[in-house]
């Protein structure tokens, strides 16, 4: 096995698809091992093979929904579902996470939910988890409306007026840079959950021109899965695409599957090629929100750190985690071939009013969590489920189903 290190120049000469951007002559280029080069080429090939097909209202359906009386949800192309799932699993592979599958029942629920939102032209600039600000039209029956409320509360939502590939929706959610109110990276956490096993995908267009996209991410069974790994850092350790690290409002993050940390760590980023360190900005602890079923959720901005393909970086998050990564160019298409970004909006997942704050089911949820986590004294008994729900992640819905099969003796 070839164990020697290869320079950026040598690597570029070995491949027609150079994985790295040009490096300033004033900076020492990072070295990549032969194994890292192989991994970069693997990711580049996987990304190149992902479908870039652009979907619109004209080609997304096999059966178009009927959004007035009589209401019907329609059906989206299976290729759209397959494409979106392929992007999800490609991005999960960057972090060493196992692939997930789509669930037919969840797909149907997601499609009904997307079509309900399209039928009412749900306002894309306010909270739509649970449809708390919308009124049910008479032509949508109560059971479908209730299903849409429950599903939207347990899903990533994306609203967009631009025609996109199925993968563009996932990229928006992963980078979380169109989060309407901040840098909590909740959408990312659910996509990269170490306990996520399956999803459901739906999409529908309203007469207002918006595509309402629904991706089911909060599943009752996943809560009790063993974490596939203890830590998920963004950018991930090893090699990582530069395209996913920089841009307006792209926060970096650290998620811990089982370890609870309540403080605000100091985060330092060191460019190892220039031997220059930078302090991260806007360090925030969102752990109490429980996104992705992680016990610790830290986000931060790389601040003034120059982000350069071909460079190696070390990130030190307090005493929690220290790691290194090297950046490569994921997309080998030239910039002149790129399509310019269009305006997007998409639904945030944090800090919304909880209309069920005093409900019996919330108390039941809290007691269940306390019973299952009796050794944890960091969270108050109402904290986990209440924070996850926040009026949108509706544990009342799945706790009702869960309690049918699981008995807990409440004190």
């Amino acid at each position: 096995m070839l164990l020697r290190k290869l320079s950026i120049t040598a690597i570029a000469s070995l491949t027609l698809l150079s994985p790295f951007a040009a490096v300033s002559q004033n900076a020492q280029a990072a070295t990549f091992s032969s194994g890292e080069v192989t991994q970069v080429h693997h990711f580049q090939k996987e990304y190149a093979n992902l479908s870039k097909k652009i979907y619109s209202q004209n080609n997304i359906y096999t059966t178009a929904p009927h959004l007035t009386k009589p209401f019907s949800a329609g059906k989206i192309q299976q290729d759209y579902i397959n494409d979106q799932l392929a992007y999800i699993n490609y991005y999960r592979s960057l972090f060493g996470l196992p692939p997930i599958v789509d669930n037919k029942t969840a797909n149907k629920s997601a499609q009904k939910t997307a079509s309900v939102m399209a039928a009412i032209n749900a306002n894309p600039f306010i909270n739509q988890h649970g449809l708390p600000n919308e009124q049910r039209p008479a032509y949508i029956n109560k059971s479908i409306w209730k299903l849409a409320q429950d599903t939207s509360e347990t899903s990533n939502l994306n609203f967009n007026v631009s025609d996109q590939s199925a993968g563009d929706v996932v990229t928006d959610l992963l980078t979380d840079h169109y989060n309407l109110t901040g840098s909590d990276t909740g959408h990312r956490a659910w996509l990269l959950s170490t306990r996520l096993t399956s999803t459901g995908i739906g999409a529908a267009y309203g007469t207002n021109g918006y595509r309402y996209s629904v991706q089911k991410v909060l599943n009752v069974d996943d809560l009790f899965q063993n974490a596939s790994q203890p830590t998920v850092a963004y950018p991930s350790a090893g090699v990582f695409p530069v395209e996913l690290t920089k841009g307006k409002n792209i926060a970096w993050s650290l998620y811990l599957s089982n370890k609870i940390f309540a403080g605000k760590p100091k985060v330092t980023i060191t460019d190892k090629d220039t031997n220059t360190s930078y302090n991260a900005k806007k360090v925030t602890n969102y752990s109490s929100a429980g996104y992705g079923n992680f016990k610790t959720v830290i986000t931060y901005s790389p601040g003034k750190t120059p982000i350069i393909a071909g460079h190696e970086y070390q990130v030190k998050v307090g005493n929690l985690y220290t790691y290194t990564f090297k950046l490569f160019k994921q997309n080998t298409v030239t910039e002149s071939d790129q399509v310019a970004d269009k305006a997007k909006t998409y639904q945030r997942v944090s800090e919304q009013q909880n209309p069920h704050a005093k409900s019996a089911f919330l108390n039941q949820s809290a007691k269940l969590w306390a019973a299952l986590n009796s050794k944890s004294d960091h969270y108050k008994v109402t904290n986990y489920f209440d924070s996850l729900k926040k009026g949108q992640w509706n544990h009342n819905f799945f706790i009702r189903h869960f309690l049918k099969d699981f008995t807990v003796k409440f004190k």
Side-chain angles (χ1 to χ4, degrees):
M1 180 180 291
L2 182 63
L3 297 177
R4 65 187 177 86
K5 297 283 188 176
L6 300 177
S7 71
I8 295 297
T9 303
I11 292 168
S13 68
L14 291 175
T15 176
L16 295 176
L17 298 178
S18 173
F20 313 108
V23 180
S24 169
Q25 293 181 352
N26 296 323
Q28 174 65 42
T31 57
F32 286 67
S33 69
S34 59
E36 289 170 334
V37 174
T38 299
Q39 192 173 28
V40 165
H41 290 168
H42 168 76
F43 285 138
Q44 286 181 324
K45 182 178 179 180
E46 290 291 306
Y47 182 78
N49 288 337
L50 292 170
S51 173
K52 309 304 188 294
K53 178 180 178 179
I54 301 299
Y55 287 89
S56 69
Q57 190 167 359
N58 297 323
N59 67 351
I60 199 171
Y61 304 118
T62 55
T63 304
H66 194 272
L67 302 181
T68 57
K69 186 178 181 180
F71 174 83
S72 65
K75 186 176 181 180
I76 57 174
Q77 296 278 355
Q78 185 61 42
D79 283 350
Y80 182 89
I81 295 175
N82 293 343
D83 289 351
Q84 195 162 112
L85 186 64
Y87 271 86
I88 291 170
N89 285 330
Y90 165 72
Y91 286 137
R92 286 177 63 86
S93 74
L94 292 173
F95 299 84
L97 294 167
I100 64 172
V101 298
D102 68 303
N103 177 284
K104 291 183 178 180
T105 300
N107 285 339
K108 291 179 180 178
S109 297
Q111 183 58 29
K112 289 178 181 178
T113 302
S115 295
V116 164
M117 289 193 289
I120 62 176
N121 287 322
N123 186 340
F125 297 101
I126 62 175
N127 171 33
Q128 293 298 352
H129 292 285
L131 307 177
N133 303 297
E134 307 292 347
Q135 296 295 318
R136 177 182 67 87
Y139 60 85
I140 297 178
N141 68 44
K142 292 181 180 179
S143 63
I144 291 179
W145 183 260
K146 183 62 168 61
L147 174 68
Q149 288 180 310
D150 291 335
T151 303
S152 63
E153 282 196 316
T154 54
S155 299
N156 279 340
L157 305 179
N158 179 291
F159 309 144
N160 203 311
V161 294
S162 302
D163 293 334
Q164 293 180 304
S165 73
D168 288 333
V169 177
V170 182
T171 305
D172 281 354
L173 294 169
L174 179 77
T175 56
D176 236 342
H177 62 301
Y178 289 110
N179 196 326
L180 289 180
T181 61
S183 60
D184 55 71
T185 69
H187 304 92
R188 176 192 300 164
W190 287 110
L191 280 171
L192 301 182
S193 172
T194 54
R195 293 180 168 90
L196 184 66
T197 59
S198 66
T199 190
I201 295 166
Y205 284 82
T207 57
N208 59 1
Y210 274 90
R211 184 207 60 243
Y212 294 87
S213 180
V214 177
Q215 187 223 350
K216 185 78 163 61
V217 288
L218 183 54
N219 307 308
V220 58
D221 293 337
D222 290 346
L223 180 60
F224 307 100
Q225 294 285 335
N226 291 324
S228 59
Q229 59 192 49
T231 305
V232 176
Y234 187 107
S236 65
V239 296
F240 193 77
V242 67
E243 294 91 337
L244 302 178
T245 62
K246 62 180 181 179
K248 186 177 181 180
N249 299 326
I250 296 183
W252 295 6
S253 54
L254 176 69
Y255 309 142
L256 304 181
S257 297
N258 300 310
K259 183 176 180 179
I260 295 171
F261 179 77
K264 185 185 293 185
K266 179 180 179 180
V267 181
T268 304
I269 305 165
T270 301
D271 184 332
K272 298 189 72 175
D273 298 299
T274 62
N275 200 30
T276 307
S277 295
Y278 304 86
N279 291 326
K281 306 296 183 183
K282 301 178 181 177
V283 181
T284 309
N285 190 325
Y286 292 100
S287 300
S288 63
Y291 300 127
N293 285 320
F294 289 105
K295 297 296 179 64
T296 296
V297 176
I298 304 292
T299 71
Y300 56 94
S301 164
K304 297 182 179 180
T305 308
I307 302 171
I308 303 170
H311 278 213
E312 181 177 16
Y313 298 84
Q314 181 188 74
V315 177
K316 185 176 183 352
V317 184
N319 295 321
L320 288 175
Y321 194 59
T322 299
Y323 74 104
T324 61
F325 62 89
K326 299 174 184 177
L327 294 177
F328 70 94
K329 289 185 68 176
Q330 168 185 258
N331 189 357
T332 56
V333 177
T334 62
E335 289 186 7
S336 60
D337 295 328
Q338 299 295 321
V339 177
D341 282 345
K342 298 180 181 179
K344 308 175 181 73
T345 67
Y346 90 101
Q347 182 59 45
R348 65 187 296 262
V349 295
S350 67
E351 296 180 346
Q352 315 237 353
Q353 290 296 318
N354 179 6
H356 309 294
K358 298 181 180 180
S359 72
F361 275 119
L362 173 59
N363 292 332
Q364 195 174 45
S365 300
K367 290 177 181 178
L368 175 60
W369 175 249
L372 294 173
N373 296 270
S374 58
K375 295 182 179 180
S376 172
D377 57 3
H378 171 66
Y379 289 114
K380 300 296 183 182
V381 291
T382 60
N383 190 280
Y384 183 82
F385 280 98
D386 186 34
S387 297
L388 267 180
K389 189 170 62 174
K390 290 289 187 184
Q392 60 210 358
W393 301 108
N394 188 357
H395 286 267
N396 290 352
F397 167 70
F398 73 68
I399 287 298
R400 289 198 297 272
H401 294 271
F402 175 73
L403 288 177
K404 292 178 182 178
D405 303 311
F406 188 90
T407 302
V408 176
K409 294 181 179 180
F410 297 134
K411 294 181 180 179

